[in-house]
Amino acid sequence: MSDTHAQTVPFVRDTMLSEAPPPAGQAGAVRWLRENLFAGWLNTVLTVLGLVAVFFLLRGLLPWFLHGVWNAQTLGECRQIIAERWGPDATGACWAVIRDRWTQFLFGFYPSELYWRPVLALVLLFVALAPVLFPAVPRRLTLFSLLYPFVGFWLLWGGSIWQPVMVLLGFVLGYGAWRLLRDRAPLLAPFAGVVVALLWWLVLCGPLRDLFASILPIGLESVRSDRFGGFVLSLTIGVAAITLSLPMGIALALARRSDMFLIKTLSVCFIEFIRGVPLITLLFTASLLLNYFLPPGTNFDIILRVIIMVTLFAAAYIAEVVRGGLAALPRGQYEAADALGLNYMQAQRLIVLPQALKISIPGIVSTFIGLFKDTTLVIFVGLLDPLKGITDAVRASTDWKGIYWEPYIFVGTIFFLFCFGMSRYSMHLERRLKREHR
Amino acid sequence: MADAVEKPKESFRLSMLIYDTRYRSMTIQLVVFALFVAIAAWLVDNTVRNLAALGKDFDFGFLSVRAGYDIAQRLVPYTQDSTHLRALIVGLMNTLLIAVMGCALATVVGIAVGVLRLSSNWLVARLMTVYVEMFRNVPILLWILLFYTVFTEASPAPSVFRGDEGRGLLFGLFAVTNRYTAIPAIGVDNGFGSLDLGLFPVNLSLLAVVVVLAISLFVRSRLNRHAAAIQAETGRRPVTWWKSLLIVVLPLVILLWVMGVHLLVPTISGFNFTGGVNVPNSFMALWLALSLYTGAFIAEIVRAGILAVSRGQSEAAFALGLRPGRTMSLVILPQALRVIIPPLISQFLNLTKNSSLAIAVGYLDLRGTLGGITLNQTGRELECVLLMMLIYLAISLVISAVMNVYNSRVRLKER
């Protein structure tokens, strides 16, 4: 055997070749290009089309951005500077309008000496949100989160300090009543709390407020609602509606899944009605019709009315999202809760809702993003939203007549940052709350 | 032993209404019902008293009063002398038009972008991501205003297209000007006229085309069914593609030829374009903005739908020897559609409701006619807003009902 093989195997290698780098076409940037941009003819065509699109976009937009002017008093001056620098035919952005009027975009017609108040309210908002958003923050801070609505309201609108304090006292009294009765009559306690709070607000709140205000007049200079505008307005409406609509949406979702026919029907009718009509018609209701539905002579703040309507609107959408989360929960979880002997409230609070809400985070956040974007629609009931209200107000001055793109781009960028930030945070939250092992 | 324990006597105490689960739900429902009725009665009572104080009544009679305002774009005949009811119908038609056109374009854009975003091409995938994030994170109102500005501020006046040295039309057919977009119209030499139905006239030529097309499609489906029957019997499918092409195309071509259908290209005469149709810029801006905005959302839905189909499905299809195109149409898409359809419905609904932002660019849709000028002229806030809400609600319910029927047809048939 070995003889025959000696003839067929003339040479056997006894050393290894050293490792060689891959050929140029299979390594580094060339390989990346081949795999990601020029794999096959279809891909190549797409790449070329994409490059052409990018080229034309940049050719149209880049000079305009690069020729931007930041220092000028009027649009005419801007155009003059651009013509001097880049030739008579050049076009350029006139960012000077933003530099000149950015306070209006942010605060509307809020009195300029009081700008510290909305700014402080925003800073405190982040402090109040911290325990909700970040788990590392001490839990003690949630107490401030609960107080924040009153602090924020007082800072933004000003007025006597006794108004928010008296309203807050209603909550405290209601809570006290609930605590007192909780052990003796666990099912009556919530009712008692609500009744006590309502009685306080309806009967005692007003006179006591006036009494205290006359004894001890502490307060901030009050700011009327029509002075609000820009992002202060958007954020006020957005944040208020978001915080109010989440609990309401959860309650509606639970009602819609309830066994009780009447409650289910009411919830379904409400949700389907709100989801079937555009937000504009609801805002119209807020501005035109709410006076019809309330006792004669009632007239309350337009921003408050808008917040109510936007809250109802968002709650219906959140209810549907949460319902999806509840439906996605395996039946076993409900059965396990029953097997443990938990009552309805305990089961929902400890087992069902935490899981269902975790599933619905993406939907809830996108509802919030939509809600925040929709705050621009308040222009149609006469409030100065940052997008159309303020830009129209800016253009109404002779200095900046005829300017279009720059304000839109500025406002659009800020909205983009807010909304994009929210969506990224929700992705982070999803990862953080992920409990299953994969 | 069992008898030793005496059965507890059934007695009803008032506290059982709250503590006994058998009665508790009844109690809660009764309380809720009482509260609901009380609140509703309170609201109605307030409304009645407020209306009385204002000297108004609840009456839809204003709908038959002369409207007296002009509507630029109308699909049904309308003059200043028409009633508010007719203005309402014109507005409703405009809303439906923008909704249908918007949904169509948004679907096309959304599917294309959604598929391209999954493409292995790095550049295209990034570009599509930029598009989706840009449109999703900025208010729709901004896009509408921006598109309107593009049309009104950045397009030339119609006079630019005039004369020998004037600018040429896009593909020789379209002209975008700062007041309107001139597009070709379809001319009919010897059509069948129109039939007046009282409320609005029906174009018989269009009706004829629809009828002929419907008959052709019906015959084609019969042909396909026949072919399937033969295939089931003999195992060989007869060649049908040329027959079905003939059945669909030939009658239509003959009909169009008989009617003398041709394209009317817009030409400039004097200060304006004539011959074609001049679509107002408000419509164009609204249409493009709504479609691109909703398209970005649909793109994400499509992407999620395709990603939801597990990789094993396409691998199995490839292992069976199916080509990528057939894999997509026979294996991936049917499964992805099931995930895509429900959120797609709600996007269509959103688009329809967002079309009420037409007011920002002065396009007179339902919101602009009934909820705008009619409301301001007659001062009937309650009736107008109520009617408007009901109409939008009806549109929404119809859309979701139709789409739900479709959804139940593509749904997985489970046993």
Side-chain angles (χ1 to χ4, degrees):
Chain A
M1 286 293 276
S2 60
D3 294 341
T4 51
H5 259 289
Q7 309 304 316
T8 54
V9 183
F11 171 74
V12 176
R13 167 180 286 171
D14 51 6
T15 55
M16 288 294 286
L17 282 177
S18 58
E19 281 180 7
Q26 289 296 329
V30 178
R31 178 179 171 205
W32 186 88
L33 280 176
R34 266 178 39 157
E35 282 186 355
N36 290 305
L37 294 181
F38 300 103
W41 63 269
L42 182 67
N43 237 331
T44 312
V45 169
L46 283 177
T47 305
V48 172
L49 283 179
L51 283 177
V52 169
V54 171
F55 171 75
F56 276 105
L57 273 178
L58 287 185
R59 199 184 68 168
L61 295 179
L62 214 53
W64 188 79
F65 274 99
L66 288 178
H67 295 174
V69 174
W70 281 94
N71 279 311
Q73 295 305 314
T74 63
L75 182 62
E77 203 181 318
C78 260
R79 295 209 170 123
Q80 208 181 339
I81 294 173
I82 292 165
E84 276 168 18
R85 269 193 219 155
W86 312 97
D89 292 336
T91 56
C94 183
W95 301 114
V97 65
I98 308 298
R99 202 187 152 91
D100 192 35
R101 297 294 186 89
W102 66 275
T103 51
Q104 237 174 51
F105 281 104
L106 296 190
F107 300 105
F109 291 97
Y110 209 86
S112 56
E113 69 278 7
L114 300 178
Y115 280 167
W116 62 272
R117 273 162 45 180
V119 171
L120 184 63
L122 184 70
V123 171
L124 289 181
L125 171 70
F126 281 107
V127 177
L129 281 179
V132 185
L133 297 184
F134 306 105
V137 177
R139 294 287 96 186
R140 190 82 58 77
L141 216 57
T142 32
L143 197 66
F144 177 73
S145 308
L146 291 178
L147 275 180
Y148 179 76
F150 305 96
V151 179
F153 168 81
W154 187 54
L155 277 175
L156 284 173
W157 273 273
S160 162
I161 195 172
W162 295 111
Q163 169 76 22
V165 166
M166 287 297 144
V167 175
L168 180 62
L169 222 53
F171 283 103
V172 173
L173 286 175
Y175 178 75
W178 176 71
R179 273 300 283 271
L180 265 180
L181 282 175
R182 190 177 56 172
D183 296 329
R184 264 170 268 167
L187 284 162
L188 277 179
F191 278 109
V194 170
V195 169
V196 167
L198 279 180
L199 279 178
W200 169 261
W201 286 324
L202 291 178
V203 181
L204 286 173
C205 189
L208 275 177
R209 180 194 61 201
D210 296 338
L211 180 70
F212 278 107
S214 59
I215 298 171
L216 205 64
I218 320 175
L220 290 168
E221 187 185 332
S222 72
V223 179
R224 286 209 323 274
S225 276
D226 54 357
R227 309 295 298 264
F228 279 61
F231 282 98
V232 166
L233 180 70
S234 268
L235 276 173
T236 308
I237 297 175
V239 170
I242 283 172
T243 35
L244 294 174
S245 64
L246 188 59
M248 192 174 166
I250 294 173
L252 278 172
L254 290 177
R256 191 167 181 173
R257 283 178 67 83
S258 155
D259 300 327
M260 292 179 260
F261 173 75
L262 194 71
I263 291 182
K264 187 176 171 177
T265 316
L266 284 178
S267 168
V268 168
C269 287
F270 177 82
I271 293 174
E272 293 303 327
F273 174 74
I274 297 274
R275 277 161 46 91
V277 299
L279 179 55
I280 282 196
T281 57
L282 290 178
L283 292 178
F284 260 41
T285 311
S287 78
L288 296 174
L289 298 188
L290 225 51
N291 278 349
Y292 284 125
F293 298 142
L294 296 176
T298 331
N299 197 6
F300 63 100
D301 194 87
I302 178 76
I303 294 185
L304 198 56
R305 297 191 209 176
V306 166
I307 288 177
I308 293 173
M309 280 301 163
V310 174
T311 303
L312 294 182
F313 186 74
Y317 282 81
I318 287 182
E320 285 299 273
V321 172
V322 174
R323 185 169 73 112
L326 289 172
L329 213 58
R331 267 191 72 79
Q333 298 288 330
Y334 294 91
E335 286 163 0
D338 287 343
L340 284 174
L342 301 179
N343 67 27
Y344 179 79
M345 290 302 245
Q346 286 169 327
Q348 297 299 330
R349 189 162 55 87
L350 298 172
I351 293 184
V352 175
L353 277 182
Q355 300 184 63
L357 288 182
K358 193 189 84 185
I359 300 173
S360 10
I361 285 174
I364 291 177
V365 173
S366 57
T367 312
F368 285 168
I369 292 177
L371 191 160
F372 185 58
K373 288 190 294 180
D374 280 346
T375 56
T376 52
L377 302 191
V378 297
I379 176 68
F380 298 117
V381 292
L383 290 170
L384 288 174
D385 78 308
L387 181 55
K388 190 167 156 60
I390 296 290
T391 52
D392 283 356
V394 167
R395 269 202 298 274
S397 73
T398 45
D399 288 354
W400 302 109
K401 201 172 165 57
I403 198 157
Y404 286 99
W405 312 107
E406 293 86 350
Y408 287 152
I409 292 174
F410 175 68
V411 175
T413 312
I414 294 188
F415 266 108
F416 180 85
L417 291 178
F418 268 112
C419 299
F420 195 69
M422 272 201 261
S423 72
R424 288 300 118 145
Y425 177 78
S426 98
M427 287 182 183
H428 162 77
L429 197 63
E430 259 179 273
R431 274 197 302 277
R432 199 179 84 198
L433 295 177
K434 200 167 221 170
R435 284 286 177 272
E436 68 265 44
H437 302 284
R438 282 176 185 255
Chain B
M1 282 301 278
D3 296 335
V5 183
E6 200 175 316
K7 227 174 164 188
K9 214 172 123 204
E10 282 286 332
S11 68
F12 184 80
R13 294 183 312 279
L14 210 59
S15 63
M16 277 169 75
L17 280 180
I18 298 177
Y19 292 104
D20 193 322
T21 43
R22 283 172 298 176
Y23 305 115
R24 190 196 288 160
S25 71
M26 227 38 219
T27 318
I28 295 177
Q29 291 193 59
L30 272 176
V31 170
V32 168
F33 184 69
L35 276 177
F36 175 73
V37 170
I39 292 174
W42 183 67
L43 289 178
V44 170
D45 176 55
N46 282 334
T47 312
V48 169
R49 283 201 288 161
N50 278 317
L51 283 177
L54 287 169
K56 287 184 180 178
D57 51 352
F58 190 73
D59 180 17
F60 286 95
F62 70 93
L63 283 175
S64 54
V65 176
R66 176 180 180 271
Y69 59 89
D70 236 346
I71 302 177
Q73 187 190 333
R74 43 185 185 259
L75 296 175
V76 294
Y78 173 85
T79 60
Q80 286 196 2
D81 293 326
S82 308
T83 58
H84 282 298
L85 181 65
R86 187 158 276 259
L88 185 164
I89 291 170
V90 175
L92 179 60
M93 286 294 187
N94 285 348
T95 292
L96 292 178
L97 179 73
I98 200 93
V100 170
M101 301 263 297
C103 287
L105 186 60
T107 314
V108 173
V109 170
I111 290 175
V113 173
V115 171
L116 282 181
R117 217 185 147 182
L118 286 173
S119 120
S120 57
N121 189 314
W122 182 87
L123 180 72
V124 173
R126 289 300 170 290
L127 279 178
M128 292 307 144
T129 309
V130 169
Y131 157 76
V132 168
E133 294 295 347
M134 253 175 66
F135 272 85
R136 265 160 41 108
N137 288 314
V138 168
I140 168 80
L141 185 61
L142 184 115
W143 292 116
I144 294 175
L145 292 174
L146 213 58
F147 273 94
Y148 191 59
T149 315
V150 167
F151 273 103
T152 52
E153 295 297 316
S155 347
S159 57
V160 171
F161 296 88
R162 192 169 41 198
D164 291 331
E165 67 274 27
R167 191 192 288 199
L169 274 58
L170 211 63
F171 306 120
L173 294 174
F174 305 94
V176 180
T177 76
N178 59 2
R179 276 183 285 152
Y180 48 78
T181 302
I183 60 167
I186 295 167
V188 181
D189 279 343
N190 32 11
F192 303 118
S194 63
L195 182 71
D196 200 358
L197 281 184
L199 217 52
F200 53 87
V202 172
N203 190 337
L204 285 181
S205 313
L206 190 67
L207 197 68
V209 171
V210 171
V211 166
V212 167
L213 207 60
I215 294 173
S216 308
L217 288 177
F218 175 71
V219 173
R220 180 172 156 269
S221 79
R222 287 296 294 271
L223 180 78
N224 279 348
R225 212 179 302 159
H226 180 64
I230 291 180
Q231 188 182 18
E233 212 169 282
T234 64
R236 294 175 62 86
R237 193 178 177 86
V239 182
T240 57
W241 65 266
W242 61 271
K243 283 187 205 157
S244 56
L245 201 70
L246 218 59
I247 289 172
V248 175
V249 173
L250 201 61
L252 195 65
V253 168
I254 291 174
L255 179 73
L256 293 181
W257 182 71
V258 167
M259 291 199 304
V261 170
H262 56 271
L263 219 55
L264 293 171
V265 178
T267 49
I268 189 144
S269 61
F271 290 105
N272 283 310
F273 279 94
T274 51
V277 177
N278 293 341
V279 184
N281 274 340
S282 52
F283 178 85
M284 293 298 290
L286 192 65
W287 180 47
L288 288 179
L290 282 175
S291 313
L292 289 180
Y293 180 80
T294 313
F297 286 86
I298 294 179
E300 284 298 273
I301 292 167
V302 169
R303 189 172 76 109
I306 293 175
L307 283 178
V309 180
S310 75
R311 269 189 76 77
Q313 295 287 326
S314 52
E315 282 166 0
F318 289 144
L320 285 174
L322 290 181
R323 285 187 306 268
R326 302 210 64 143
T327 306
M328 195 66 178
S329 63
L330 293 177
V331 179
I332 309 287
L333 270 187
Q335 299 188 63
L337 269 186
R338 233 174 277 137
V339 183
I340 291 172
I341 297 286
L344 195 65
I345 301 168
S346 65
Q347 286 307 325
F348 287 164
L349 285 174
N350 278 347
L351 191 147
T352 310
K353 285 185 288 173
N354 279 337
S355 73
S356 59
L357 297 183
I359 188 75
V361 290
Y363 175 73
L364 283 180
D365 67 337
L366 184 65
R367 159 73 185 75
T369 55
L370 176 67
I373 304 178
T374 296
L375 187 152
N376 286 334
Q377 277 190 4
T378 58
R380 299 268 175 187
E381 294 99 355
L382 196 59
E383 292 90 338
C384 282
V385 174
L386 206 63
L387 197 57
M388 188 163 65
M389 278 187 171
L390 287 180
I391 293 176
Y392 273 116
L393 196 61
I395 297 175
S396 299
L397 291 179
V398 167
I399 292 180
S400 64
V402 169
M403 296 304 275
N404 277 332
V405 168
Y406 177 72
N407 190 23
S408 67
R409 283 183 60 182
V410 300
R411 201 174 47 203
L412 194 63
K413 300 288 186 290
E414 285 176 23
R415 269 162 229 238

